[in-house]
Amino acid sequence: MIKSNYLIIGTGIAGLSLALKASANGSVALVTKRRIFDSSTGKAQGGICCVMDKSDSFESHVQDTLVSGAGLCDSKMVEKMVLEAPNRIKELINLGVKFTRKTNFSSEFDLGLEGGHTKRRILHANDMTGKEIEEVLIKNVKKNSNITVYEECMAIDLILDDNNVCRGAYVFNNKTKSLVIFEATIIVMATGGAGKVYLYTSNPDIATGDGIAMAYRAGANIANMEFVQFHPTCLYNVDAKSFLISEAVRGEGAILKLKNGQQFMEKYDTKKELASRDIVVRAIDTEMKKNGDDCVYLDIRARGRDFIVSRFPNIYSKCLDYGIDIVNNMIPVVPSAHFFCGGIAIDENGRTSVKNLYAIGEAACSGIHGANRLASNSLLEGVVYADRAYKDSLQFTNQKLSSFKLKFLKNVEKNNQSNHPEFMEKWNEIRNLTWNYVGIVRSNRKLLEAREKVKILKKEINDYYDNVLLNVDIIELRNIVCVAEMIIRSALLRKESRGLHFNTDYPFMLSKAKNTIINVISKGE
Ligand code: SIN
């Protein structure tokens, strides 16, 4: 058993930031299922929003967020986040994060533009913002003697005492193939999203919604899981696994085109390429289906070699690796699952409905993103809620908790059992199912069919889980089927189309916006 003041699960921007702050108040166990740098944060290209320019205003950032969120954002939470942004950005800079400046010697930052923003307000480190932030946070975490990092340690389930207070987590150590009990006063889910539930995703392999599934099984309220954001422009290439072409490329003037070079966004929105993501994604989906094409194209050629190579060095060189010189050629792109606006329901301090359990970052649903997240608000949400959760936790770290009995989990033996290949096919079944039945455009018939299919899959997977020795694949499989079920349940509960959720049977938006809240015992769909 490992005891600490804080148990933080996940090492993206939210988990790392909180670990650094919490370390001033006690010991921190920072648990991650792969290596410390395996997170979605490291893949974030675009940047992090903050009002910096004289021509911009907090009101305008709030307004853009609310418009993008299609009436479902919690406006108070949005306002607070936008106002707290400058302090959180200062902290990142003080830790050592280097955002791109206008020129090498300039004191002014080069602010980017992305879809849904009416002003330039995106701080970036060229097109590798997440990597820059992640590297700096990890460097600071590694120097900190109050933080112990446990890599290759995959949380399986939360531990609740008889009063349903969260007391820790059962964790599978993949190096020793053994079960470890982590006990703590404050437990935080910073496990990120679940893009891998879908067939095509911009997310890394680790994004299997583990924290959301664990919290659901522990009885936490889960909100708005139907709002899965598809990124409009993932590179379409058989060899490229989930490589994003940042929205910043459209922000800098790239145009979406069909293979014959024809533009199409003006038919869908006056903001054209810079319309919000839900609109751009549905436009691409419609054009691909109408023309029977496998992809559309993004054309940045007009900006010329010097600009393209200096502003987007990573995208330029990655595309070149796949044989596409973006200086001279259009980039083939398709939409792919990118970000979960829903997740574990939290209050303004990151508290979930389970006592002692916090959730921050993409794993949480804070009310900031509503029905469609504004680009580059997610890294910001990560640092803002890490700060809030830290401040809130200060009142609880000295609480006296009664002793409690651990429940039997399941057999774990020191053996590297691999899964039955037929069983691992279930991965593909789930990912195909979500893509085809609960993807960009939905209908009641498809959702009801998906519900029946996922019920069968869940039973098969849970039976299998009960009968095999623990391993990472089966833990992830059990989580993705749980997340798929939550998405379908939530999508069926929403009798309208709003933001990212589009149902052809209810093509209109209701006048009153309501969150979808589900939990493991609630009835309905
Ligand atoms: C991108 O660079 O396009 C991703 C930014 C985001 O998802 O906020």
Side-chain angles (χ1 to χ4, degrees), residues 43-47 114 127 202 229 231-233 244-250 277 315 338-339 373-379:
K43 291 196 129 202
Q45 297 178 353
E114 290 177 9
D127 54 354
S202 63
Q229 184 170 67
H231 194 289
T233 58
L244 199 67
I245 307 297
S246 175
E247 191 149 321
V249 177
R250 272 179 287 130
R277 275 185 196 168
I315 294 172
H338 183 60
F339 186 89
R373 177 181 63 99
L374 181 68
S376 288
N377 261 351
S378 47
L379 293 178

Side-chain angles (χ1 to χ4, degrees), residues 30-41:
L30 186 56
V31 167
T32 174
K33 66 175 174 177
R34 302 272 201 280
R35 307 291 304 281
I36 190 169
F37 47 75
D38 285 317
S39 74
S40 295
T41 295

